[in-house]
Each structure stands twice: as structure tokens, then as C-alpha cells.
Amino acid sequence: MSGTAEFEEFARARIPQLYRTAWLLAGDRHHAEDLVQETLAKLLTVWSRIENPGAYARTALVRTYISQRRRRSWGERPTGEVPEVVERPGDPELRMALQGALAELAPLDRAVLVLRFFEDRSVEQVALDLGKTTSAITTRTARALNRLRAVLGDDAQLIAL
């Protein structure tokens, strides 16, 4: 199998997971799609040289998100037709409250919480992905959770983070 075919197979298998993480980080569909696309483009350029493409993709996704958040254009939102609303199981008010609360966190704090609790990654894995020490991730996790609880207020009791 050629390198391109292996990359395409990897991309098809990983796009749903990358998109989910990107959506949790970015908070909207358009930015999430852009993040996944940019991540896969970066991955393709180094495909033949990497040993663990899954870890590389995750790290590239989070670092791309943090980098994009620093740009002035980050606050721009696409306009036009309102997309169809898809029914999802669960409490939509709670989901919206969590999404809004995550949006108020600093990009690195949001990345740490998404990787730790939504991607179910260990402190060591997150530290490796973000190029930080485990103690820095532990401290940042605790502070980010406190900020999240402060933003959510009464809704914080309903979220099991």
C-alpha cells in the first residue's frame, strides 16, 4: 500500500474523532471543520516521517486551535442561512451551558479540559500532547475546572467532570 493510500485510510478512520475534539475546542461546526482540514494537511506533509500518526494528529489539532485563537480573525463567525438543528440525545440546555462555559476559558485551559475529560486522556498523555509538564497540566486542570464551575454556577452540579 502506498504512503498516500495509508494516509487516506488513516484520515477516513480518524476524521470523526478529530472532528469531535475540534468541535469541543472551537465550539462551532465551521471552525471545527477548518481545524480538522488544517490538521490533516499538516499530517500529510510529514506522513512518511512520523511513527505515531494518531498522537501527531491530536497534538497538531490542539496546537493549531491554540494558534488560531491568538489571531484577531478568530472572532469572525460565518453568517447566512441558519443550519438545520439536529436532535441529539441529552439535555440541550445543559449542553449549551457547557459549550458557553468552555468558550469563556483560555484556549489552553479549554484544550486541557477537552483532552482530559472528553477525550479521556491521562495527565501524562495531555502533557505530552501539549509539550507541558504533568504538574503544569494538573495545576491547569484544577484552575480550569474552578473557572468552569464559576461560569456554570448552578449548572455545574449537573456536569460530572
Side-chain angles (χ1 to χ4, degrees):
M1 189 181 309
S2 72
T4 304
E6 289 175 355
F7 173 78
E8 288 175 5
E9 183 180 323
F10 171 83
R12 274 191 214 94
R14 288 296 178 106
I15 282 176
Q17 180 185 11
L18 290 171
Y19 178 78
R20 178 178 175 263
T21 302
W23 186 86
L24 287 166
L25 290 169
D28 76 63
R29 181 175 56 119
H30 301 288
H31 282 122
E33 289 169 352
D34 290 345
L35 277 171
V36 171
Q37 182 176 4
E38 193 168 336
T39 298
L40 290 175
K42 288 177 180 180
L43 184 62
L44 180 59
T45 62
V46 296
W47 181 254
S48 62
R49 299 187 311 252
I50 56 175
E51 292 181 26
N52 187 344
Y56 185 94
R58 229 181 352 268
T59 300
L61 178 76
V62 173
R63 289 183 179 173
T64 301
Y65 161 74
I66 291 169
S67 175
Q68 284 182 352
R69 283 297 302 257
R70 292 181 180 135
R71 296 182 194 149
R72 288 180 189 238
S73 64
W74 173 258
E76 296 175 1
R77 297 283 184 218
T79 59
E81 292 184 31
V82 178
E84 289 183 27
V85 177
V86 178
E87 283 296 317
R88 292 188 176 106
D91 182 0
E93 287 89 22
L94 182 59
R95 194 170 53 248
M96 295 302 291
L98 179 58
Q99 183 181 356
L102 282 171
E104 299 216 9
L105 296 177
L108 188 57
D109 289 345
R110 186 173 180 161
V112 167
L113 291 184
V114 167
L115 291 173
R116 285 279 293 121
F117 299 107
F118 293 99
E119 290 293 317
D120 198 27
R121 301 189 45 78
S122 70
V123 172
E124 293 79 17
Q125 291 169 322
V126 173
L128 223 128
D129 285 348
L130 298 178
K132 306 285 183 195
T133 64
T134 55
S135 60
I137 296 300
T138 303
T139 301
R140 194 166 277 277
T141 301
R143 290 180 182 162
L145 283 173
N146 285 337
R147 284 189 209 109
L148 190 66
R149 288 182 186 113
V151 170
L152 284 173
D154 293 338
D155 289 336
Q157 304 303 326
L158 302 173
I159 298 174
L161 285 181

